[in-house]
Amino acid sequence: MSPQPEREKKRAVTGGSRFDACGKNSPPQLSDQGRESTVFFQLVLSVKAQSKMAVRGSWALTLTVSVVSLLVVQADIMGYASVGQLFVYELQRETFQHEFEPFHKLYGKVHNDPMVFKCNRQLFPDLPRWLRFTQRHPYDNGFLYGTPLQEDLGKNIIEIFVTNKRSYETFKERLVINVGPVVKLMPYQAEFFIELREIEKVLPSEVQEEIKQDIQLIWDTERLDYVNITSALDRGGRVPLPLAGHFEGVYVKLGSDQPYSKCLRRLQTTAHQRECEAGGKISGDCSKCIIPANCITWCKSTLIDLSRPVPPPPAPTVGSGILAWGGEFNPPDSPPERDFIPDYIITVIIPFALALILCLILAYVMCCRREGVQKRDTMTPEIQLYHHHTIHGNTSELRTMADGRSGVPQPLSTLPMFNARTGETAPPQYPSDSVHIPLIMAQQEPNVDTLPRK
């Protein structure tokens, strides 16, 4: 692991620029070094003014003071990574909490603000190919991790944007990672799979040390270093269910200059591979873990021996560049003729005939099986027919009599507002057969009581 990055000592204004929710510039927060730089800046300006007033010919002093007054030193986080070794940088929320407005100083409140980190390479939309970033939740710390290769040598400037999700203030920081050459040769490497872990829980230095101690007992050496840490999702693993007890799994790769122990050499035996394929109990499992969550899966552990030089692939045979004569092209013969009439009968004629037969049966049932009025009257008894015709005749006679009553006045008892004591009827403006006549006069005049009183 690389040492923790340290901030530069030369600093005038800390942390770069900050933006509020509306996108306007907010006054930057100054640390102790920033305040000292500000005081020095004011002192330089005063010296400059005095020097101009006192000695106008001192161009050297004036030029020096002008350059110092125009310089703005931006603080950068410095980091170092070696080729072939794991680099981890933790973005701690507590560190960036002090860069925002100190509400606990103004109002006596301490806020545990959620923060979201976004990282990219300077002048690029994404991170370098060897570097990855992860943050599970706004209340968790973020991690930049990865293993640089030989072609990644040089300086990598990473821009870190921190957004406070409570106040939506944004803070910008820069991380400068200097990738250097190989420091330790690790020809013996091994990769282990930890099933009950997630990538964010393995990247902290304390957890890495716990896992290293367990593997040191298996390897019989303390000279181990991390080469890489990869999530199982990056290896094609399935996303776990969001339930307790389900984890994504993590692959950890460690290396050393010491050869493998007898226990680790069992991973290369054919008997071990047969036991893993069978899925039963592994007899050669010598893994040890102090914490159950750090236990490795023995069948998914592999050894990567780089101590033996890998033979280069055989060089291709250079020919003359002229294809050998293979004779004249003989096209294949035409396929034999095929009779499609049976297929046509099976796929078209037979289904059509069945559909036609079903239509004929349905037409016969619906149309040819009807009794008819004459046949039905013949089968019906005469007394039943006479009763039926009598009902129709009586109904017609009653309707004719009802139509003839239109000129006869209605009895008083059938009128809507007939009063049995006085004999008064409803007002003449309401028609006798109207449904809009109120049943009680009080509905028309609420303050009039038409009922008889003693």
Side-chain angles (χ1 to χ4, degrees):
M1 293 183 58
S2 62
Q4 290 292 335
E6 298 180 354
R7 294 179 179 270
E8 286 187 351
K9 299 301 181 181
K10 297 180 180 180
R11 182 169 186 165
V13 180
T14 62
S17 59
R18 202 180 71 224
F19 304 89
D20 56 9
C22 299
K24 300 179 180 180
N25 290 333
S26 301
Q29 299 295 323
L30 301 180
S31 64
D32 296 337
Q33 296 180 356
R35 295 188 182 94
E36 294 176 1
S37 302
T38 305
V39 173
F40 176 74
F41 177 78
Q42 296 175 355
L43 180 61
V44 168
L45 290 179
S46 62
V47 172
K48 177 182 176 181
Q50 294 178 3
S51 62
K52 284 185 177 181
M53 294 176 61
V55 183
R56 301 219 176 239
S58 181
W59 293 102
L61 181 59
T62 303
L63 181 62
T64 302
V65 173
S66 301
V67 171
V68 172
S69 62
L70 294 176
L71 284 179
V72 177
V73 180
Q74 183 178 3
D76 293 334
I77 306 174
M78 307 301 297
Y80 181 80
S82 300
V83 173
Q85 288 188 353
L86 178 66
F87 170 82
V88 178
Y89 178 73
E90 183 175 2
L91 301 173
Q92 298 181 357
R93 296 171 51 253
E94 292 79 6
T95 303
F96 293 94
Q97 181 70 41
H98 300 290
E99 305 293 351
F100 297 102
E101 293 293 339
F103 284 93
H104 60 281
K105 294 183 179 179
L106 299 178
Y107 304 102
K109 297 180 181 179
V110 179
H111 294 278
N112 184 23
D113 298 339
M115 298 185 186
V116 176
F117 299 94
K118 293 184 180 180
C119 305
N120 63 277
R121 189 176 180 181
Q122 190 177 28
L123 304 179
F124 288 88
D126 205 351
L127 291 170
R129 60 179 181 177
W130 64 272
L131 196 61
R132 296 178 180 178
F133 172 76
T134 180
Q135 184 186 14
R136 179 76 62 173
H137 193 269
Y139 286 96
D140 297 335
N141 294 336
F143 291 91
L144 282 167
Y145 67 100
T147 303
L149 302 178
Q150 189 67 30
E151 54 268 21
D152 299 322
L153 289 172
K155 180 185 293 187
N156 296 267
I157 301 178
I158 308 301
E159 294 180 339
I160 303 173
F161 296 91
V162 190
T163 304
N164 189 325
K165 301 301 289 185
R166 182 185 61 85
S167 60
Y168 288 94
E169 290 182 299
T170 303
F171 180 79
K172 179 181 177 182
E173 187 67 275
R174 292 201 315 174
L175 171 64
V176 180
I177 305 175
N178 295 313
V179 180
V182 178
V183 177
K184 296 181 181 179
L185 295 177
M186 295 178 288
Y188 302 97
Q189 299 180 6
E191 189 176 56
F192 306 94
F193 178 69
I194 303 177
E195 186 176 4
L196 302 180
R197 282 291 189 180
E198 296 177 347
I199 188 66
E200 293 85 359
K201 305 299 181 182
V202 177
L203 291 176
S205 57
E206 300 82 6
V207 181
Q208 293 187 37
E209 189 63 27
E210 294 172 357
I211 298 174
K212 183 192 293 187
Q213 291 176 2
D214 295 338
I215 299 179
Q216 286 175 355
L217 300 177
I218 306 174
W219 206 311
D220 293 336
T221 181
E222 296 183 356
R223 301 170 62 177
L224 294 178
D225 291 288
Y226 278 93
V227 177
N228 194 12
I229 296 179
T230 309
S231 173
L233 301 181
D234 298 333
R235 298 285 189 90
R238 299 182 62 181
V239 178
L241 296 174
L243 300 175
H246 293 76
F247 304 92
E248 61 186 32
V250 178
Y251 287 92
V252 294
K253 182 188 291 186
L254 291 91
S256 176
D257 55 356
Q258 300 296 318
Y260 303 115
S261 63
K262 182 180 179 180
C263 174
L264 289 177
R265 285 197 294 268
R266 295 179 185 174
L267 298 174
Q268 297 178 335
T269 60
T270 57
H272 168 75
Q273 297 176 1
R274 286 196 301 267
E275 290 178 354
C276 291
E277 292 176 357
K281 185 177 180 181
I282 308 301
S283 59
D285 188 357
C286 57
S287 60
K288 302 176 183 179
C289 54
I290 302 175
I291 301 176
N294 296 336
C295 294
I296 64 176
T297 303
W298 192 247
C299 283
K300 292 187 178 181
S301 303
T302 56
L303 301 181
I304 306 172
D305 191 358
L306 302 179
S307 60
R308 303 174 184 177
V310 180
T317 303
V318 180
S320 61
I322 301 175
L323 294 177
W325 172 253
E328 295 182 357
F329 175 71
N330 186 15
D333 298 334
S334 300
E337 296 182 358
R338 181 180 176 183
D339 188 10
F340 292 97
I341 294 180
D343 297 338
Y344 178 77
I345 293 175
I346 294 174
T347 57
V348 178
I349 300 300
I350 293 179
F352 179 77
L354 293 177
L356 181 61
I357 293 172
L358 292 176
C359 291
L360 293 175
I361 294 174
L362 182 61
Y364 172 75
V365 171
M366 296 295 295
C367 301
C368 301
R369 297 286 294 177
R370 298 179 64 87
E371 296 179 353
V373 177
Q374 184 178 2
K375 183 178 180 181
R376 184 181 59 188
D377 292 344
T378 304
M379 298 177 62
T380 306
E382 294 183 1
I383 186 66
Q384 186 175 355
L385 290 176
Y386 178 75
H387 185 220
H388 180 71
H389 291 301
T390 303
I391 292 174
H392 279 278
N394 295 338
T395 303
S396 300
E397 185 178 358
L398 290 175
R399 289 178 178 175
T400 304
M401 293 174 62
D403 292 339
R405 295 176 57 187
S406 58
V408 180
Q410 297 181 2
L412 295 177
S413 59
T414 60
L415 294 178
M417 291 302 299
F418 171 72
N419 194 327
R421 185 174 62 86
T422 62
E424 295 178 355
T425 61
Q429 62 267 20
Y430 293 105
S432 60
D433 58 346
S434 177
V435 296
H436 301 285
I437 300 176
L439 298 179
I440 302 175
M441 291 300 295
Q443 296 180 358
Q444 183 179 6
E445 297 181 6
N447 300 325
V448 177
D449 187 6
T450 60
L451 298 178
R453 302 294 180 184
K454 291 183 180 181

